Amino acid sequence: MTDKNNLIEEKLALLPAQPGVYLMKNAQGEIIYVGKAGILRNRVRSYFRASGQAVPKVAVMVPRIEDFEYIVTANELEALILECNLIKKYRPKYNILLKDDKTYPYLKVTLAEDYPRIFATRRLLKDGSRYFGPYVNVGAMHQTVKLLREIFPLRTCRTLNAKRPCLEYHIKKCLAPCSGQVDKAEYRAMVDNICLVLEGRSDVLLKQLKTSMKQASEHMKYEQAAWLRDQIMALESLGEQQTAVTVAGDADVIGLAQDESGVCTQVFFVRSGKIVGRDHFLLTVGQGENEETLLRAFIQQYYSTAAFVPGELILPSALPDNEEELLSEWLGSLAGRKVKLTAPQRGLKKDLLDMALENAEVLLKEEGQRARQRETEQLAAVELLAKYLGMVKPPARIDCFDISHTQGAETVASMVVFKEGKESRRDYRRYKIQSAEGKPDDFKSMAEVTLRRYRKYENLPDLVIIDGGKGQLGAALEVIRGLGLEMPVVGLAKQFEELFREGEKDSLRLPKDSPALHLVQRIRDEAHRFAITYHRKLRAKRNMVSILDHIPGIGPKRRQALWKHFGSLKAIKAAEIEELRQAPGMDAGSARAVHAFFRSL
């Protein structure tokens, strides 16, 4: 029996009969799968039995498992929450993953402020605000905001310390809370009406406005009645954008389609009996996943960050009783009220579900066609690049290197990898350069990173692209040829988008409209993005440490804990005392010190 089998058998024997989460690891120590279990002992052991590998994905994954860890939880609900968080953190290869590269905006109503504002944002924070969205059609979102501001004179300024009202007040576009022209109760009532509209409950507000208009007219307050009339007309115009149905309350209708190209979910958002929007999501999945598993994975990952959880989810198929009960309890904890999961067989809900399913199928078909078209174009670009460079066959793998620093400080290098003409982000690497730290020397930096990358002769590319001219190319070639490696290496100079080749005096300029040039530019830009992102992260970390040094009671451990917990100096600055206390090692006194320090700047 191998050492690997001995290790796994020993760990299997020690597994507890308790709920928890397990993490499967490969030979490199990477987490390749995260799962939850009601009884860890039974669930984890099932993977290593022959019957447990009936699912194709499991059969492929298990031979790659070199080790596993587990975390015991108090109950299965805690396991579900922890599983969701760990999947988002590690994005394991064999888990079903929600593709989250879309960053649709939300409308944020800052309810934590005395006089709230409304604006678009792409960040969801637990700051007491309400978020509405996401808005797939950004133009429609901005039109909604424009209409709301025509109806409600909401403030747009960020500060509330004006001595006198601005022009917005005089043209009746703002109530001027900045200069004390309106009390909090009156202003908050207006904000509550805005939330009604954004929730899709404009019919409730319309009834109120019509009653008020009638009363104003009866009391001969014709100017006020005319203003209310204009509000009613604008609201009715906004309501025309929503499709009326007769489902009571709020619900999300989830359609799911699957074929050989992948999985697509289509979600219809029903609010107060109206379809107020829709969105679709793509999932990355392994082979042989059933619909129940896909639905559970989507619900977990989508609603863990959703701005709003409705009272009902309408699903294409019922989940097992234990899964449905667990998800319902978890969703209820997020929503603060009961959430029901249903799989209708007839009636209006079934009609809505069929419509969502049909849309999901159409979108998946279109996505498959686009993916095939992209793949054809990418392969054609790779073939054309090989032709220009005089290569015998197209490069299946391309490595590209870039250097980033600020006058020699925080020097880093990136390596991005393209396979068959598309990004292979799992193969990206970043390096903190040591040989040139403190002084700008791109040549020495390029020599260091290529040596560190290729001295082990692993996963060699068919082509290497160096972001830079002859100097950077020469530094890389000296190292690569010194290691006895023969793959082609070219340099790309940004000024004229020209390629420098080994042993060639003249540069190669690809046609400006050539797909090969566009491919090289895309690769170079990706390497630059990856390098500069890492450089900015290190620079921000350095700046944060230097600033936090000035706060009494914040030593190295707390600095590191704050950085790890919040991820950026901006987030630490914006955090409230209770949020600061949640960082490991922070207490009430240190949290108050950090909070007071940044408020005094």
Side-chain angles (χ1 to χ4, degrees), residues 64-346:
R64 291 167 171 76
I65 298 174
E66 294 287 331
D67 192 8
F68 68 85
E69 294 180 2
Y70 60 88
I71 302 169
V72 175
T73 59
N75 51 56
E76 201 169 351
L77 177 60
E78 283 189 13
L80 176 75
I81 296 169
L82 180 58
E83 177 197 31
C84 185
N85 292 335
L86 292 175
I87 289 172
K88 285 194 294 182
K89 179 178 180 179
Y90 295 111
R91 300 192 64 78
K93 180 177 181 180
Y94 293 101
N95 279 97
I96 299 168
L97 299 176
L98 179 64
K99 292 185 180 179
D100 58 356
D101 54 345
K102 296 187 294 186
T103 54
Y104 292 138
Y106 292 80
L107 285 180
K108 177 176 181 176
V109 182
T110 58
L111 295 181
E113 297 176 345
D114 289 337
Y115 298 94
R117 296 170 293 141
I118 180 172
F119 55 87
T121 182
R122 295 178 188 267
R123 295 182 63 204
L124 298 178
L125 303 173
K126 293 182 178 179
D127 57 359
S129 300
R130 281 201 65 182
Y131 295 85
F132 299 90
Y135 287 86
V136 183
N137 187 331
V138 179
M141 179 197 71
H142 289 305
Q143 181 63 23
T144 298
V145 174
K146 183 180 178 182
L147 278 170
L148 286 173
R149 285 184 173 149
E150 287 178 3
I151 302 168
F152 305 104
L154 203 65
R155 76 178 177 102
T156 56
C157 54
R158 296 188 178 186
T159 58
L160 288 169
N161 55 358
K163 293 181 180 179
R164 59 180 181 271
C166 66
L167 179 62
E168 292 285 300
Y169 171 76
H170 294 293
I171 62 174
K172 298 184 178 180
K173 293 290 186 181
C174 178
L175 296 178
C178 59
S179 58
Q181 302 296 317
V182 60
D183 64 39
K184 291 181 184 178
E186 181 183 348
Y187 192 92
R188 183 52 68 106
M190 179 178 67
V191 172
D192 291 341
N193 287 335
I194 289 173
C195 290
L196 280 176
V197 176
L198 292 174
E199 289 169 0
R201 295 183 170 88
S202 55
D203 52 340
V204 176
L205 181 56
L206 277 169
K207 289 179 182 178
Q208 295 173 359
L209 291 175
K210 287 177 180 178
T211 301
S212 297
M213 182 181 71
K214 184 179 179 181
Q215 290 173 349
S217 179
E218 288 172 352
H219 290 84
M220 292 184 289
K221 297 178 180 179
Y222 299 119
E223 186 177 345
Q224 183 183 357
W227 179 70
L228 289 167
R229 179 204 60 203
D230 292 342
Q231 281 192 313
I232 291 167
M233 290 173 64
L235 273 176
E236 288 174 341
S237 172
L238 187 62
E240 288 171 3
Q241 301 171 19
Q242 302 170 344
T243 304
V245 294
T246 56
V247 174
D250 301 331
D252 282 357
V253 185
I254 302 173
L256 187 146
Q258 182 178 19
D259 63 18
E260 66 281 354
S261 65
V263 175
C264 176
T265 58
Q266 172 78 63
V267 184
F268 285 160
F269 306 113
V270 179
R271 302 293 180 261
S272 296
K274 294 180 180 179
I275 299 176
V276 298
R278 65 173 185 169
D279 200 359
H280 73 277
F281 303 88
L282 301 174
L283 303 175
T284 58
V285 299
Q287 300 175 350
E289 299 286 9
N290 60 42
E291 188 171 75
E292 293 171 0
T293 304
L294 293 170
L295 278 173
R296 184 177 77 87
F298 171 74
I299 291 169
Q300 274 185 262
Q301 294 183 53
Y302 175 69
Y303 288 102
S304 65
T305 57
F308 177 74
V309 180
E312 182 178 14
L313 302 189
I314 299 173
L315 309 178
S317 59
L319 299 174
D321 289 344
N322 61 324
E323 289 286 352
E324 182 178 317
E325 184 179 343
L326 188 62
L327 283 173
S328 180
E329 184 180 357
W330 173 64
L331 291 165
S333 69
L334 297 177
R337 52 184 154 64
K338 186 177 179 181
V339 177
K340 182 171 63 172
L341 280 65
T342 56
Q345 301 301 311
R346 63 184 67 84

Side-chain angles (χ1 to χ4, degrees), residues 482-554:
L483 292 170
L485 303 176
E486 298 299 327
M487 63 270 199
V489 184
V490 299
L492 175 62
K494 187 174 184 180
Q495 185 175 3
F496 299 109
E497 304 288 6
E498 51 190 343
L499 290 170
F500 293 96
R501 294 168 291 178
E502 183 179 12
E504 296 282 342
K505 181 180 178 181
D506 297 326
S507 64
L508 171 65
R509 292 196 183 185
L510 303 181
K512 289 186 177 181
D513 59 349
S514 169
L517 176 61
H518 298 160
L519 172 64
V520 171
Q521 290 170 331
R522 190 157 58 91
I523 295 171
R524 187 269 318 281
D525 291 345
E526 180 68 356
H528 181 67
R529 180 199 65 79
F530 195 52
I532 202 167
T533 300
Y534 185 39
H535 169 69
R536 285 171 177 167
K537 181 178 180 181
L538 293 181
R539 188 177 64 193
K541 188 174 183 180
R542 181 194 64 194
N543 292 342
M544 184 204 71
V545 169
S546 63
I547 290 174
L548 294 183
D549 278 340
H550 299 288
I551 305 176
I554 304 300

Side-chain angles (χ1 to χ4, degrees), residues 123 125 536-545 547-548 559-575 580 594 598:
R123 295 182 63 204
L125 303 173
R536 285 171 177 167
K537 181 178 180 181
L538 293 181
R539 188 177 64 193
K541 188 174 183 180
R542 181 194 64 194
N543 292 342
M544 184 204 71
V545 169
I547 290 174
L548 294 183
R559 282 202 308 264
Q560 186 176 6
L562 286 168
W563 171 257
K564 189 173 182 180
H565 186 76
F566 289 99
S568 71
L569 183 61
K570 183 178 179 181
I572 296 173
K573 285 181 177 179
L580 290 165
V594 173
F598 285 117

